């Protein structure tokens, strides 16, 4: 009966069933007419988006050095701004599936070396004109130019040839890539008129909201774009993105109602917010992870027994509990978790084992001199605490791990990718292939663990062209095992997105692909007040 | 030439020379920081090729002296250039932020300066009595709190316990004068708390110093009331040290309030400068550094001149 009821509620929500019909059929199921009426109201209300109002987000991670050029976006505020005025060919939805946006159809040839995107007709730019296949090609081309400094360079470099014909865009790949639609969903690749070549920072796109004013590092204001093509998004009359980097000010702003949603709620204060009925804390596990990375080609980390000793010597559960305040999950020394498609959850979880760590350490023949872990507070939130916990558990296993504190300023230039053992983070990628290709392929530019393994590379290339999901999953599982047991990555934890939402904000759903509902919170939510 | 005028001209010329020296020091300082703009922008995503491309595009591959001279040439011809990090026009970015900085500083000064002097006078009048102890106790407590603690305290009290104000002090172009004043109420309260004690204590000390002199005794013997003695005879002679402390505090309100700006998300020069220092964005750091140095030098020159004008012995040198 409850299945039947759920189905009916779903139909009400879609507007496919009237009140009379609903009450009639539910009373036939033995539910009183009064209750049925209340249920109807609740069902209809729960999902009925309200129009109007100004929806405000208080977002940490913005500076006065930010630009509106989508190629340059690298932190949360520009990310959110891009996702609000701009739109990509496709998106990754809440279930990790590809969702059509500016493209209305995607198809590939049998070996995934050629992809076709059919461009939706009548998608308008805020500045006038509609999206053409030529615009799409010009946009992708701009990001392939090194001068654009695009954050999506690594993605578009895999495309060897782009062409537009009518409403069809054809992309030929350098090598097979079964995941291309996921990669093309990257937020840097918002479609711009003429590819944005003339004025990349114009902020002129096809999103649900149009920029009224933008002051980098302060506030960007938007109004609803009247000619937006998708009526299921863009409910508020206007939206605003306020840069509030200070944790206390951001929290105070949502408590006082100055903003309706915030990112990066500090796990330490979640318990304090719990007493506030006006604010809900939203939590969703994502692909982001905090790491300690060892260079596999530098002594003493060129010794796999030593690497294994360090991997066994870290207490992951303690780190999740103390550093993430429980808002996260344990890592398993490869950069993939359940938020990725084709994840193999049967790979055994690595546990803290002082005896095994001690055995590996003895086997490595290390001379007992201090092993230096370089860390800065900004390597990831709580990095110094995490490093200290790691050192304590390693010392308990007889491993002479020592912390060297580095300043935040210049950390990514002078320590990361330079020092043989340091703390770092990864935001994660939408698909396994991209994560591995970015950082673990022998030839990858961001191979920050200097991991070179021929078998691993071979498997990665094989997976790229494999369209059979079950077989790919098997290949990825094998790669995960190699990295876990031989790699230079110590991945103790995956961090959740922990965010705040005012009670009057409707339409919030858990989206693991990115912060604030994968950047679409302002497009999809509405104000009930 | 009148000696005072000559002095003013001398001071201004010296100030300009100092500015030039400051610009060289800032340049050297930023050069000495580890990493450069290209590395700071690319951060964790830096690769050798990307770094090289970015450096070439920004002109960072040219020798430092050449870059400094070309920047100096630009400034002398009124062109501050564009930011390396986001290619925004620096003069334009600075103008609104400078306005906001001055607005906040002025609002805080308008309350803090008269209040501090008044409290100083009252404390000096009742020296050793309970008003003196109360005033000194309260102001010394507020100056001893680090700014961010004072700011969080004010946020907690006035937005959570008594929800009177908004915790985020964004000042936007469309806001009216009163709207802006309301938006900056919290940072103004914090800044007043921070600068009050210094000026108050200096007023009190200067007045007490003058109160020892013979002419004050004469005034007392004439039968003037204590407040009249302080107001008519002690204060004019205590102006010089008070003015120099007031100027120091005004300078602080303009150049030193970055912590308050960050806590209240107030869009002003301090935060703008810090953002660009972390990106090693030299043209912006230079421009803002020069403005800050100019403010300091101007206020110090002003303090000297006021001290001279207020003091007959300096006004008519022998």
């Amino acid at each position: 009966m409850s299945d039947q009821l759920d189905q009916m509620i779903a139909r009400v929500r879609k507007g496919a069933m009237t009140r009379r019909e609903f009450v009639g059929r539910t009373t036939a199921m033995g539910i009183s007419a009064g209750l049925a009426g209340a249920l109807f109201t609740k069902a209809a209300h729960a999902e009925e988006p309200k129009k109007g109002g100004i929806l405000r987000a208080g977002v940490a991670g913005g500076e006065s050095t930010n630009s509106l050029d989508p190629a340059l976006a690298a932190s949360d505020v520009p990310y959110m701004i891009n996702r609000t005025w701009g739109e990509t060919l496709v998106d990754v939805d809440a279930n990790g599936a590809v969702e059509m946006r500016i493209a209305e159809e995607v198809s590939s040839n049998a070996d995934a070396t050629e992809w076709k995107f059919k461009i939706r007709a009548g998608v308008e730019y805020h500045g006038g004109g509609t999206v053409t296949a030529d615009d799409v090609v010009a946009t992708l081309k701009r990001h392939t130019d090194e001068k654009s400094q695009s954050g999506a360079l690594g993605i578009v470099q895999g495309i060897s040839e782009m062409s537009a014909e009518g409403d069809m865009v054809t992309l030929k790949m350098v090598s097979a890539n079964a995941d291309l639609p996921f990669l093309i969903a990257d937020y840097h690749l918002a479609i711009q008129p003429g590819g944005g070549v003339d004025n990349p920072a114009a902020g002129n796109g096809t999103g649900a909201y149009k920029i009224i004013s933008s002051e980098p590092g302060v506030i960007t204001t938007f109004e609803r774009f009247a000619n937006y093509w998708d009526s299921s998004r863009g409910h508020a009359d206007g939206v605003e993105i306020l840069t509030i980097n200070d944790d206390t000010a951001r929290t105070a702003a949502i408590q006082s109602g100055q903003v309706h949603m915030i990112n990066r709620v500090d796990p330490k204060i979640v318990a304090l917010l719990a007493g506030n009925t006006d604010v809900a804390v939203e939590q969703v596990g994502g692909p982001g992870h905090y790491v300690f990375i060892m260079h596999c080609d530098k002594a003493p980390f060129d010794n796999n027994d030593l690497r294994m000793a360090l991997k066994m010597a870290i207490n992951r559960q303690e780190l999740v509990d103390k550093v993430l305040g429980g808002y996260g999950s344990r890592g398993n020394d490869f950069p993939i978790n359940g938020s990725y498609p084709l994840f193999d959850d049967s790979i055994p979880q690595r546990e803290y084992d002082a005896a095994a760590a001690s055995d590996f350490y003895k086997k490595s023949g290390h001379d007992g001199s201090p092993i230096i872990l370089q860390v800065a507070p900004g390597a990831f939130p709580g990095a110094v605490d995490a490093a200290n916990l790691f050192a304590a558990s390693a010392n308990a296993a007889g491993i002479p791990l020592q912390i060297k504190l580095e300043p935040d300023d210049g950390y990514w230039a002078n320590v990361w990718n330079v020092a043989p053992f340091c703390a770092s983070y990864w935001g994660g990628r939408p698909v396994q292939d991209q994560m591995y290709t970015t950082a673990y392929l022998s030839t990858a530019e961001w191979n920050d663990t200097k991991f070179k393994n021929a078998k691993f590379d071979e498997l990665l290339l094989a997976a790229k062209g494999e369209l059979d999901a079950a077989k790919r999953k098997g290949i990825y599982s094998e790669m995960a095992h190699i990295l876990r047991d031989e790699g230079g990555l110590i991945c103790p934890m995956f961090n959740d997105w922990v965010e705040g939402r005012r009670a009057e904000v409707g339409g919030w759903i858990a989206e693991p692909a990115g912060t604030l509902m994968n950047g679409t919170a302002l497009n999809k939510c509405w104000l009930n007040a | 030439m009148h000696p005072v005028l000559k002095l003013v001209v001398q001071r201004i010329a010296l100030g300009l020379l100092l500015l030039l020296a400051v610009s060289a020091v800032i340049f050297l300082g930023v050069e000495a920081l580890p990493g450069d703009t290209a590395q700071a922008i690319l951060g964790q995503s830096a690769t050798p090729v990307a770094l090289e491309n970015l450096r070439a595009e920004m002109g960072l591959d040219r020798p430092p002296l050449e870059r400094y001279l070309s920047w100096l040439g630009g400034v002398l011809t009124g062109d501050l250039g564009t930011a390396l990090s986001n290619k925004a026009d620096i003069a334009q970015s600075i103008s609104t932020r400078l306005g906001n900085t001055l607005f906040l500083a002025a609002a805080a000064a308008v309350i803090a300066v008269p209040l501090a002097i008044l409290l100083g006078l009252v404390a000096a009048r009742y020296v050793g009595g309970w008003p003196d102890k109360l005033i000194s106790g309260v102001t010394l407590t507020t100056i001893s709190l680090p700014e961010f603690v004072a700011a969080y305290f004010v946020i907690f009290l006035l937005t959570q316990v008594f929800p009177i104000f908004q915790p985020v002090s964004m000042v936007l172009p469309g806001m009216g004068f009163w709207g802006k004043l309301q938006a900056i109420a919290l940072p103004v309260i914090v800044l007043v708390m921070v600068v009050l004690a210094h000026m108050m204590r200096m007023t009190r000390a200067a007045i007490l110093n003058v109160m020892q002199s013979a002419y004050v005794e004469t005034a007392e013997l004439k039968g003037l009331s204590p407040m009249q003695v302080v107001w008519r005879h002690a204060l004019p002679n205590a102006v010089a040290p008070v003015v120099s402390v007031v100027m120091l505090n005004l300078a602080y309100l303009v150049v030193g309030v970055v912590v308050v700006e960050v806590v209240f998300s107030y869009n002003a020069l301090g935060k703008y400068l810090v953002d660009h220092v972390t990106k090693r964005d030299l043209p912006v750091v230079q421009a803002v550094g020069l403005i800050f140095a100019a403010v300091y030098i101007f206020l110090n020159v002003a303090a000297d001149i006021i001290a001279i004008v207020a003091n007959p012995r300096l006004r008519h040198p022998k």
Side-chain angles (χ1 to χ4, degrees):
Chain A
M1 180 187 110
S2 88
D3 278 0
Q4 226 176 331
L5 190 60
D6 283 350
Q7 273 174 15
M8 275 191 271
I9 289 173
R11 293 197 62 200
V12 171
R13 285 177 180 171
K14 281 186 197 149
M17 191 183 256
T18 63
R19 183 185 189 93
R20 161 171 278 185
E21 214 179 326
F22 181 82
V23 173
R25 289 179 64 176
T26 43
T27 44
M29 288 160 63
I31 291 173
S32 79
L35 181 59
L39 268 176
F40 178 89
T41 314
K42 195 160 169 258
H45 250 280
E47 286 289 319
E48 184 66 34
K50 277 236 171 81
K51 298 286 176 187
I54 306 282
L55 196 58
R56 294 184 178 87
V59 186
E63 293 91 32
S64 45
T65 51
N66 293 152
S67 160
L68 281 178
D69 179 353
L72 301 178
S75 48
D76 281 1
V77 172
Y79 163 76
M80 199 65 192
I81 291 173
N82 272 344
R83 298 285 283 165
T84 305
W85 66 260
E87 209 160 20
T88 43
L89 284 177
V90 296
D91 233 351
V92 178
D93 72 9
N95 304 315
V98 171
E99 181 187 0
M100 296 301 136
R101 299 311 298 168
I102 289 179
E104 57 180 1
E105 251 177 66
V106 180
S107 59
S108 84
N109 62 356
D111 58 359
T113 51
E114 188 179 307
W115 286 86
K116 283 186 186 298
F117 294 82
K118 184 168 187 259
I119 306 306
R120 197 181 294 277
V123 175
E124 288 183 39
Y125 291 113
H126 303 156
T130 56
V131 177
T132 64
D134 290 320
D135 290 338
V136 173
V137 169
T139 299
L140 297 179
K141 279 229 169 89
R142 183 170 83 84
H143 291 265
T144 59
D145 185 354
E146 298 253 4
K147 278 208 190 105
S148 71
Q149 300 158 33
S150 175
L153 180 66
I155 291 169
V156 288
Q157 267 177 338
I159 305 171
S160 60
E161 219 181 297
M162 309 174 186
S163 57
E165 205 187 313
D167 59 356
M168 195 66 84
V169 171
T170 308
L171 305 178
K172 287 204 176 107
M173 309 303 298
V174 177
S175 58
N177 195 333
D179 284 329
L180 185 73
F182 290 95
L183 305 185
I184 274 312
D186 185 289
Y187 69 97
H188 296 100
L189 300 175
I191 305 303
Q192 294 175 283
V197 176
D198 303 331
N199 185 1
N204 179 15
T206 65
Y209 290 93
K210 174 174 147 180
I211 295 180
I212 306 174
S213 73
S214 173
E215 198 160 346
V218 187
I219 188 171
T220 304
T221 57
F222 302 81
E223 64 183 4
R224 182 162 51 211
F225 178 43
N227 297 345
Y228 186 55
W229 61 274
D230 182 356
S231 63
S232 71
R233 294 188 181 190
H235 305 298
D237 289 339
V239 298
E240 296 180 1
I241 299 173
L242 289 77
T243 304
I244 312 179
N245 290 326
D246 187 87
D247 288 345
T248 309
R250 199 166 61 255
T251 314
I254 195 168
Q255 283 179 305
S256 68
Q258 200 174 1
V259 298
H260 300 104
M261 57 183 78
I262 59 172
N263 67 341
R264 295 194 212 165
V265 173
D266 186 340
K268 292 188 194 97
I269 63 150
V270 168
L272 300 176
L273 276 181
N276 189 332
T277 48
D278 295 333
V279 179
V281 175
E282 299 284 351
Q283 170 197 11
V284 57
H289 48 288
Y290 299 154
V291 298
F292 297 109
I293 46 178
M294 306 175 279
H295 285 181
C296 298
D297 61 351
K298 290 199 189 90
F301 308 103
D302 52 354
N303 182 326
N304 194 40
D305 287 326
L306 184 79
R307 297 204 294 269
M308 280 303 290
L310 288 165
K311 287 176 186 175
M312 304 301 291
I314 190 163
N315 189 338
R316 294 148 207 270
Q317 192 59 51
E318 187 182 32
L319 261 58
V320 170
D321 292 343
K322 292 182 179 163
V323 176
L324 299 179
Y327 288 89
S329 55
R330 286 178 296 169
N332 209 2
D333 297 335
F334 61 99
I336 306 300
N337 67 353
S339 72
Y340 285 86
L342 307 178
F343 169 68
D344 177 8
D345 55 10
S346 70
I347 301 174
Q349 172 64 48
R350 184 161 278 155
E351 307 278 355
Y352 174 55
D353 186 339
S358 175
D359 287 347
F360 273 116
Y361 181 68
K362 282 180 196 129
K363 210 172 127 200
S364 75
H366 185 254
D367 60 7
S369 58
I371 296 171
I372 306 295
L373 170 61
Q374 282 166 265
V375 59
F380 57 82
V384 177
D385 297 339
N388 278 313
L389 291 171
F390 183 15
S393 60
N395 293 346
I399 301 173
L401 184 60
Q402 279 186 17
I403 310 294
K404 184 167 176 232
L405 261 185
E406 301 284 349
D408 272 345
D409 204 33
Y411 184 77
W412 301 111
N414 303 323
V415 178
W416 177 78
N417 228 352
V418 179
F421 191 23
C422 71
S424 179
Y425 74 96
W426 280 97
R429 295 291 185 271
V431 289
Q432 298 196 33
D433 173 66
Q434 199 190 356
M435 190 66 234
Y436 285 135
T437 307
T438 307
Y440 300 96
L441 188 68
S442 299
T443 53
E445 287 195 282
W446 296 334
N447 186 348
D448 58 6
T449 53
K450 317 292 174 205
F451 176 64
K452 296 192 169 67
N453 184 305
K455 173 76 179 157
F456 183 89
D457 292 358
E458 201 180 291
L459 287 169
L460 183 54
L461 292 181
K464 280 176 192 287
E466 181 57 70
L467 286 170
D468 178 340
K471 282 188 191 155
R472 285 181 87 200
K473 187 172 171 182
I475 300 175
Y476 284 143
S477 173
E478 200 179 333
M479 288 164 58
H481 275 105
I482 295 177
L483 200 57
R484 174 176 178 272
D485 298 334
E486 296 174 36
L489 172 75
I490 301 175
C491 174
M493 52 191 160
F494 285 83
N495 52 307
D496 287 353
W497 309 116
V498 187
E499 291 157 347
R501 165 181 71 87
R502 296 275 305 174
E504 62 264 30
V505 173
W508 188 285
I509 50 170
E511 296 209 32
T515 183
L516 291 169
M517 289 173 63
N518 195 16
T520 62
L522 292 173
N523 302 333
K524 292 180 184 166
C525 291
W526 60 86
L527 279 170
N528 280 323
Chain B
M1 199 189 266
H2 191 278
V4 172
L5 195 65
K6 193 174 157 201
L7 201 102
V8 170
V9 172
Q10 265 178 0
R11 287 292 157 102
I12 290 173
L14 205 64
L16 290 177
L17 209 64
L18 257 176
L19 277 184
L20 188 69
V22 165
S23 80
V25 170
I26 297 172
F27 185 85
L28 287 175
V30 176
E31 281 292 304
L33 288 173
D36 65 4
T37 314
Q39 271 172 328
I41 289 176
L42 294 172
Q44 197 234 32
S45 57
T47 60
V49 182
L51 280 176
E52 214 173 287
N53 288 332
L54 194 52
R55 283 194 188 121
E57 198 196 309
M58 293 174 174
L60 291 174
D61 47 353
R62 292 182 299 157
L65 187 66
E66 193 187 320
R67 278 185 283 135
Y68 176 67
L69 290 179
S70 82
W71 171 81
L72 196 63
V75 171
L76 293 178
T77 53
D79 176 20
L80 290 175
T82 55
L84 292 178
S85 48
N86 64 351
K87 302 183 184 73
D89 184 63
I90 294 176
Q92 202 185 340
S93 309
I94 284 184
S95 64
T96 41
R97 291 182 167 86
L98 181 61
N100 288 348
T101 288
L102 295 177
F103 182 59
L104 179 63
V110 161
I111 296 173
V113 174
L115 187 63
I117 291 176
L118 186 72
L119 290 176
L121 291 179
V122 172
R125 162 67 184 80
Y126 297 102
V127 60
W130 67 263
D132 181 27
K133 285 180 180 148
L134 181 74
I135 290 168
S136 292
V138 170
T139 55
L140 287 176
T141 306
T142 59
I143 200 179
S144 307
L145 282 179
E147 284 160 50
F148 68 94
V149 175
Y152 290 160
F153 176 72
V154 167
I155 287 180
F156 176 69
L157 195 69
L158 295 181
T159 75
Q160 308 295 325
V161 182
F162 305 104
I164 306 169
F165 296 111
Q166 298 286 13
V168 173
S169 305
M170 273 179 194
V171 170
L172 306 172
M175 276 183 175
F177 182 70
W178 286 111
K180 283 188 182 177
L181 274 188
Q182 208 172 6
I184 64 167
L186 293 187
V188 165
I189 292 172
V190 171
L191 290 177
V192 168
M193 283 166 67
V194 171
V195 297
L196 208 52
H198 193 190
M199 292 188 287
M200 189 286 287
R201 294 291 291 184
M202 185 47 89
T203 308
R204 178 180 176 277
I207 298 273
L208 286 179
N209 196 22
V210 175
M211 295 293 265
Q212 313 291 333
S213 36
Y215 58 83
V216 169
E217 208 173 334
T218 312
E220 275 167 10
L221 292 174
K222 268 199 309 194
L224 291 182
S225 74
M227 216 56 221
Q228 269 178 317
V229 174
V230 168
W231 190 250
R232 286 217 195 135
H233 297 276
L235 187 60
N237 287 293
V239 158
V242 173
V243 164
S244 62
V245 166
V246 167
M247 289 303 174
L248 264 184
N249 280 287
L250 290 185
Y252 164 80
L253 286 176
V254 174
V255 310
V257 297
V258 62
V259 172
V260 172
E261 288 174 22
V262 169
V263 171
F264 293 102
S265 301
Y266 186 68
N267 167 34
L269 273 186
K271 199 154 148 271
Y272 179 69
L273 174 65
V274 171
D275 281 354
H276 286 80
V277 169
T278 56
K279 289 274 187 288
R280 309 281 187 267
D281 198 328
L282 200 62
V284 175
V285 177
Q286 292 269 40
V288 180
L290 271 192
I291 290 176
F292 282 177
V295 167
Y296 240 106
I297 292 169
F298 167 77
L299 288 173
N300 273 305
V301 171
D304 285 356
I305 292 170
I306 290 173
I308 291 166
V309 172
N311 189 330
R313 274 165 299 189
L314 291 175
R315 203 160 52 204
H316 305 289
K318 281 184 189 148

